[in-house]
Amino acid sequence: MSTASRVARRVEEVPFLDKSDVSLLFVLPGLFVFSAFMLFPVLYLLGISFTNAAPANLFAGEGALSVLTFGEAAFVGLENYARVLFGGTFDLVLFGETLLTLPINGQFWNSFGVTWLFVATSVTLKITLSLAIALVVTGERVRGKRFMRSFIILPMGLPAIFTITVWRGIFSSAEFGLANQVLAMLGLETVSWLSNRWMAFVAYNVTEAWLAYPFMVIITVSALQDVPDELHEAAMVDGAGYVARFFHVTLPSIKKPVLFASILTAAASFQQFLIPFVFNEGGPARQNELIVVYGYREALSFSQYGRGAAISLIAVVFIGAFMWLNVKRGRLADGVNEA
Amino acid sequence: MATVTLDNLRKEFDNGRIVAVDGVSLDVEDGEFVTVVGPSGCGKSTTLRMLAGLESPTSGTIEIDGEDVTDVHARRRDVAMVFQNYALYPHKTVRQNMAFGLRMSTDLSKAEREERVRETAEMMDIEELLNDRPNELSGGQKQRVALGRAIVREPNVFLFDEPLSNLDAKLRTTMRTEIQRLQNELDITAIYVTHDQEEAMTMGDRIAILNDGVLQQTGAPTEVYRNPRNEFVGGFVGSPSMNFVDVAVEGDGGRVALTNDDGFAYELTGEAARAASGTGVTEARLGVLPENVTVAEDEDGLRATVEVVEPVGSDNYLHLDLGPDFIARVDSHVEPSNGDTIRVTFDQRDVTLFDAESGESLLWEEPTERKKAAA
Amino acid sequence: MATVTLDNLRKEFDNGRIVAVDGVSLDVEDGEFVTVVGPSGCGKSTTLRMLAGLESPTSGTIEIDGEDVTDVHARRRDVAMVFQNYALYPHKTVRQNMAFGLRMSTDLSKAEREERVRETAEMMDIEELLNDRPNELSGGQKQRVALGRAIVREPNVFLFDEPLSNLDAKLRTTMRTEIQRLQNELDITAIYVTHDQEEAMTMGDRIAILNDGVLQQTGAPTEVYRNPRNEFVGGFVGSPSMNFVDVAVEGDGGRVALTNDDGFAYELTGEAARAASGTGVTEARLGVLPENVTVAEDEDGLRATVEVVEPVGSDNYLHLDLGPDFIARVDSHVEPSNGDTIRVTFDQRDVTLFDAESGESLLWEEPTERKKAAA
Amino acid sequence: VGVQSQGDQTAQSGGESSTAGGSGESAGTAKAWYALPDTELPARKSAIKQFNQNSAHTVEGADISDMQKKTTSAIPAGQGPQTFEWAHDLAGDYMERGFIVDQGDKLNVSLDEFTDAAAEAAQYDGNVVGLPHTAETVALLYNKELVDEAPQTVADMKAVMEEHHDPSNNKYGLGMPFADPYFLSAWAHAFGGYYFDHTKEEQLGVAKPETVKGVQFAVDNFVPYMPNDPTYEPQASAFAEGNAAFAINGPWYLSTLNEKGVDYGIAKLPKPEGGDPSPFTGITLWYFSKKMGEGGPSAAAARAFAEWYVTNEELLLKNAEETGNIPVLKSLAESGDLPENVQGFAEAVQQGYPMPAHPKMNKVWDPVKAALTKGFNGKDVPKAMETAAEEIRGNWE
Amino acid sequence: MSLFDGVGRKVKEDARDVVSAPLEVARDAAYTVEGVRNGEISPAEPLKTAGATLGALVGVLLLLFPIYWILIAALSGTGGSIYSSSGLKLFPESPSLVPFLWVVGDLIIPAYSISLNIPSSDIAIVFNTPQVVFLDVSALKPGTIGRIAFGSAELFPGFGVQPIENPSTFKKFFWNSLTVAIPTVIISLCLVVPAAYALSRREFIFRRKILFVYVLMTQVGSGLGIALLIGLYTVYVQFGINDNKLALAVYYAATAVPFNTWLLKTYMDGIPVSYEEAAVVDGAPPWRVVTEVIIPLSAAGLATVFIFTFLTGWTEFVVAQTLLGTENYTLPVGLFSLISEYSIPWARFSAFALTFAAPIMLVYLFAQRYIEGGLSFSGMEG
Ligand SMILES: Nc1ncnc2c1ncn2[C@@H]1O[C@H](COP(=O)(O)OP(=O)(O)OP(=O)(O)O)[C@@H](O)[C@H]1O
Ligand SMILES: Nc1ncnc2c1ncn2[C@@H]1O[C@H](COP(=O)(O)OP(=O)(O)OP(=O)(O)O)[C@@H](O)[C@H]1O
Ligand SMILES: [Mg+2]
Ligand SMILES: [Mg+2]
């Protein structure tokens, strides 16, 4: 101990350690490791996206240096991007009639549109669901809340791919699929879930909501617990009922954390891969191909790494812009120090 | 405005493990300002919250204006409450904060609400703040807004839960006067909880002292101060509070000697002596207020050594060795040095005697005015 | 123990946009207890934190025991600090809390540390709490532990930043006495920051009054109270503080008439009149302490209407209409009713006059004792 | 201080002793990958153990969870195994990508020892890319409690299905993974159609009238009697739980059936009127992966293992009994004394049509699957097949 | 160390709470009944409470129905399936623990011989530890587990069990997962804690920029996982570090950096500066301030980061499956290796998944108050 502390004290004496910018040193390791695993692959991906990389040529060549030369893949300039964005045609169909044929890649733009739609619907669903659950498991009159809360996060402990496989079973179109059985019990028609575009879309949303709610609930619950009781009491004395209190006290007080969680979860929705892939590979007939699935399929199923990379990067640019906007607007990077 | 009656109110927490309030009965008259005081955890807040409807009593009843409201929900009681930390809605402007109660509990139109808020803001001198948010306000301003929010609703009863305890001393004095002014002006029925007995003493028409959930004494502040019903009240009220000396009681009806091993000796005569000896108590505690202890010029009186002389502006506090924390409050020109031996005395009329065991006053009688009022 | 010297200390924040402390110079003698008082935001904490080494001054120097420590790191200054919120480490027991400083700043063995902690705990009467954690303690106990933690290190200088402001009134008084007792016992050099001028008045050997980062006056408490150097000090010190009346100054060397439009009229004569007229000021503010205002039995003196009578135990405060918040502190047997017209008077020796513009006292002279001490 | 697990001792010493008695070649270690249901894993492990004990070489087996993905990423990176087990249809694609290599000149086993179909499947473009050991295909399974005798024609079968189909009481006529082109191939081929055949002039047969007719036939005759979900699991579940009269499925299904305790019979597929069902057959190979191209002891080890495995009659027969796999070793396949389970599938294999191994086939599956799904959901079959064909052509470009 | 001390104490308290919860409920009920009987509590009160609790319970059950669905499959004696073509069944048919036993496998501590060689002599002391058998699944007999009978009345026949010959390799996967998840946690804590501290307490160049990038990358980064797979895989392979658990852990830790740094920073923002100042005035050098004050006070935040990073390593599938070889399969990959091309052995698959998720729930039950407190948004107000 004494030697150690003597050494430590010696270190303390080094004058520059008192300089405030030296604190950057604390942040650098994390930043470095993160960059190494995120930024380098991103740059690599960027490189690939300008080539005709495919499994056959990408891995050719010997030694670590060939990583940097992308094997024997050839430089093709912006061709991948051009193809992704403008290859093929897109028919604008309304009421069964083709109104307009645009010279753009219909598959990509369809996928792009569906992805944003999915973000919008699934985030709405997630927020509503989690808020409802959080309110229930923090309810004043509810007993055994702690146990309920720890059961409720179970979906978080299961690997997503397992959960999604199970949900695919639930949304089986068969008469005995769980969802259909429930419908039948309610006296409703059964539904061909995954072979109908919008029904499949609904199934994606439900599953996504189920996967994401534990995280949202945890955040919402802790936000709810930070709402001062006095505010509720003041409102009660002011004559506000439950609903009024929810809108005038609860909601404004938890707005910020919930907004934060929503932004995170929106980004997660944007990048959802497993649900469409496992359910019906973005089907039926590639109609619900979310953008990451689209990129994946191009990259792996069709062995077009270059094009896949271009798609991924386009997706990343969009989600990055989305996050940037939200983070800026929600001032999430601000801390108390800047307040 | 309204009267408030608490009848045998009791509140248990934790399935009866904690008795926070134990059989409190209190009548508050129309327009009366009652302060409730007591040490931390004595059940003041709980009592107030039951009144507001934020807790429901385990037993007992609450009446407001003669109507039993024990089971009425908080939002239908028409009371206003000012919280210790103000509990202003942080995301609403001052105007919205003040209008919220009106929106919720009245049918006033938007214009009427605006009007009421404006009037009240004028009265509270917070007009320029109406568009600010609470976190832009200073402590005193927040306090004013909280008061304004309560006043604007023109409720039957005002409840205050230590509204000044977050303010600094200077501001506390100012706001205290402000609340008193409002109370005079609006003639409101108010119950004001505080742990600061100075506040309780100066603000209340009447003061109620709680300890361990039990109501100890109610009465006009000066009366409670001069004539405490038990040792707890004596020790709690006033700053500095009553001095106590443990004494043995000896003697018959006419003359009672109060002595202890530290050389303390005092003699009661007449009425007081009869009362004291009549109870048969032999171990007692003598109480005397600091301002009633005078320094004797001559050789009469008790010898006491001055431990510390504490100047407090107009007076000096002399800490004497007669008992623990025995203080004499004397004029500021009386300035003995630390360690001096002086002689002090006090009048027999100013002496209170408490049963050493139960703490009850041996000499206490119900003041006649209160007797009438309580009837 | 040690002396402390602040020389022309200045602290800017926000790149000079905020000047928190502005040229403060102060000598604290060995064993002296100096209280620093001033309104919120006046720079008290900043001064103290510079002393502790937690902020570094923009300019000026700090000496402890004659040694310039301006650039010495906080942990090498050998000062102890008691924080407003106690800052007891919540995850350590009381024992560990107290031993932490010893572990960090001394080479004592574990046994020696234990011994020191035990001794100090004994002195502070917190022996039974040694194994508890801070959140199991009451406010007063926390306060004691925080004091103990400071004392156990036997530092050169003690710094206190509003250590009592989180306690309730009763406890505040007790702890105040306790700190004074310790100070007497250990004869420590201490600088004690508070915004409560009552605390400042009763505890300090000397009191330093800050406003807007500028040192206004230092001196013995009673002296500052009786002889404020400027209007700010007069209005700040004492509770209730000095009464002010705006007056026009008229007259020559021998006789000066102080009047205003509200019918106030007072005459200065002799030395004071000469001093007052000598400055040539025509708009002034008259200051008089509440306890120096007496109710005249006869028809002499100023007519005043009683607005409120506020009983405070031994005395009554009479709120008069002579000026805003004009208070007379009178014996409690003087009990006029609200609205009564009475006559009050005060001695010319008790009158202070301030320049209405600069606020400086027109009659002030440096007290002779302090002059010597400062030299 | 030393700590040693007592149980391990014997295993270790046993492992080492076997190296002593080897042939002239230097002993190598090879990695072998396979993807098996865990019911079949123990048998595989003991087979490898047996090999390791009897050979100078060592084979390290590994059960891989997603073979295609793993091989695609690992082999080009030089991380792959020496040999891996998969159906023959990967051959073209993997050969072109350079994932597998020709080892024909180094083998000690002649392809003549296998059935013709198997021998053909083991080669691609004249290269011997692996050694075959089993064949698999789909056959008709019937629930013996509901059906007395296997129907010979689709019309017969339809009558039985009609009788048993009652979804409101959870009874179904048939369980068949309809949306899977592999399972549906028997019908697509029944009237002379084909999905893809690179030997034909018109390589893509998806939209040809014969193919469309076959698919349409399946839609008309089977879909009405099936659970409403065309994917594998629910279809399999219906028969396995005894709720369907028939199933069309492969040998891998038998372990599930045994576990559930269904009393089933296996027969070849019934004939449609005017056609002959002809299912795709898959031949499982031990592929020679890129690593073997490097030669050396590890390649020798892998080769030795594959040769040993595919010619080991005892092992193959046991496999056949336990898992319903059809041996392709002529000596067994033509011996006629295969177990009863296998017999049904073996007959079906005779009806069969080996899956194309051409790389272009890769891009056929998904669009056809989409088309079949549409057909199952009542969409226009010819149109769906036409769309699929277009998409395939687009992807081929 | 006092941090572990504190956590230990809290866990002990929690355990006591959990155990005494039923007692407390009973007490509560008795008190309420007594109150109602005395007319002190209006009967509507307990009814409202019961109603609310019941409602919440129904909600929770509905929400967790898929899990129950899995559980039914896992308890099935006939292989199970989540596709029940025989209609909706709320209870497993012929319930069996076999799938779970198959997952858990033998719990046997093998006998070891420990030899102590005495230096410079030939004498060695050998201890033979006994073999400890908790569960030997190959020696199970039917009717031994879960049978309930009163005298002759057979209430529950017990779970069907047979000897299990080839139990799963759950334990190996478990070990692999642990050896991935724990390094993940350690590495990310090493990266996150100093950074969070510096970002929360120090002022330095680029501070706000870094913070901004971190918040931004919180999600972009994690979702990029799949898009980046190719790049990542290539790089790993070229450096020959795929199929390396530690390398995988480093990757997980890297992805966890932005979110967790930000999270911990927000938490640390809520710790009053005066604790640190007190320590400084007490003479503590900066590193002691951090170890003695900041870290123990951040316990809740650290617990949250711990759980989140642990979960990353514990449940991530796609990258692990791509990078790891069979020997190093983690639990999710192991779980998926149960699936073969055409069939899913639902009973075992589900039992495996549930066994795998159960510890998370338990940990959460105990860590709950830390996590809920650890997600402090005090830094987010305004
Ligand atoms: N919700 C509750 N659950 C359990 N015990 C409670 C609750 N509220 C109050 N108590 C207990 O009831 C007693 C009285 O509390 P109360 O808040 O009324 O005290 P108080 O007089 O307002 O004290 P203070 O001056 O500190 O505000 C205390 O012992 C407290 O611990
Ligand atoms: N770190 C800081 N950055 C910017 N301004 C500061 C900082 N610390 C203090 N100030 C400003 O300096 C001035 C003096 O602050 P200080 O805390 O010393 O006041 P104080 O006298 O202690 O007040 P209080 O009685 O409220 O504690 C205030 O205007 C405050 O806003
Ligand atoms: Mg209270
Ligand atoms: Mg301060």
Side-chain angles (χ1 to χ4, degrees), chain C residues 93-132:
Chain C
T93 61
V94 169
R95 173 177 285 114
Q96 290 165 337
N97 260 288
M98 290 177 67
F100 183 72
L102 293 176
R103 256 173 71 205
M104 292 295 134
S105 57
T106 67
D107 289 332
L108 296 182
S109 74
K110 196 171 158 67
E112 286 167 314
R113 292 201 301 260
E114 288 282 314
E115 178 58 19
R116 281 265 284 273
V117 168
R118 214 191 37 66
E119 274 170 19
T120 313
E122 216 165 83
M123 180 165 79
M124 299 299 302
D125 207 17
I126 47 173
E127 276 168 294
E128 332 70 64
L129 308 177
L130 280 178
N131 292 319
D132 293 349

Side-chain angles (χ1 to χ4, degrees), chain C residues 40-41 43-46 49 84 161-162 193 195:
Chain C
S40 188
K44 307 181 295 290
S45 297
T46 308
R49 290 165 57 80
Q84 173 167 3
D161 194 358
E162 315 203 6
V193 159
H195 62 241

Side-chain angles (χ1 to χ4, degrees), chain A residues 109-126:
Chain A
W109 290 105
N110 172 60
S111 149
F112 187 73
V114 170
T115 306
W116 281 115
L117 185 65
F118 178 67
V119 170
T121 51
S122 68
V123 168
T124 316
L125 184 64
K126 282 189 267 191

Side-chain angles (χ1 to χ4, degrees), chain B residues 12-65:
Chain B
E12 299 171 1
F13 284 113
D14 271 3
N15 298 331
R17 253 172 283 190
I18 295 175
V19 180
V21 175
D22 193 359
V24 166
S25 301
L26 182 72
D27 283 300
V28 181
E29 282 160 47
D30 195 7
E32 198 179 18
F33 196 109
V34 173
T35 54
V36 180
V37 71
S40 188
C42 70
K44 305 180 295 292
S45 295
T46 308
T47 310
L48 204 70
R49 291 164 56 79
M50 286 194 283
L51 242 164
L54 298 172
E55 308 275 5
S56 59
T58 308
S59 67
T61 56
I62 300 168
E63 284 174 24
I64 294 180
D65 236 358

